[in-house]
Amino acid sequence: MIGQLRSVVIDCPDPRALAGFYAELLGLPLIEDNSDGDDWVVLGNRPGHQPRLAFQKALDLRAPEWPDPERPQQFHLDVTVEDIEAAEKAALALGARRLPGEGEGFRVYADPAGHPFCLCWD
């Protein structure tokens, strides 16, 4: 092993707003000590303790378009849920939107900045 995952970093136009969305969706606390104003915002635990999500300001972000290969998803998160209907309702209330595509055990959504993510169940 060369190293350990520190953070998944998501580029977006408004890091604090998108961090607020994921804080509610995943129940991860904001780590103000590791954040830098509105340009870099971190959720999770202190360095070395996972999971951590970081949000970095990218003013000219070209948001992905699911499932368009000309504007690929760039990354996505799989989020395990107990009750897909309740989870979908809560995610939509936070500002997510449903995207085309689903399979056995998952549905696809976009966060408020357009990044795809999946709600998954067993």
Side-chain angles (χ1 to χ4, degrees):
M1 175 176 65
I2 294 173
Q4 294 180 338
L5 177 66
R6 177 183 178 105
S7 303
V8 173
V9 180
I10 301 171
D11 287 353
C12 57
D14 187 346
R16 196 155 293 272
L18 195 57
F21 170 84
Y22 279 105
E24 289 294 322
L25 183 70
L26 302 173
L28 293 173
L30 172 69
I31 309 172
E32 200 64 62
D33 291 358
N34 292 154
S35 298
D36 184 13
D38 292 332
D39 291 336
W40 176 264
V41 180
V42 180
L43 301 178
N45 293 298
R46 65 188 186 280
H49 295 84
Q50 286 74 33
R52 286 171 46 102
L53 284 177
F55 302 86
Q56 176 175 271
K57 185 167 247 169
L59 294 176
D60 296 326
L61 177 73
R62 189 170 176 232
E65 290 287 332
W66 177 271
D68 183 357
E70 294 297 316
R71 294 182 63 184
Q73 63 182 330
Q74 302 163 9
F75 88 98
H76 81 273
L77 301 176
D78 286 343
V79 179
T80 301
V81 299
E82 299 258 336
D83 177 343
I84 184 58
E85 300 305 330
E88 176 176 273
K89 183 177 178 181
L92 295 174
L94 288 174
R97 62 186 164 88
R98 182 85 184 267
L99 296 176
E102 64 181 87
E104 189 172 323
F106 73 93
R107 292 182 188 166
V108 183
Y109 303 84
D111 69 23
H115 303 102
F117 69 95
C118 294
L119 295 181
C120 307
W121 65 95
D122 293 324

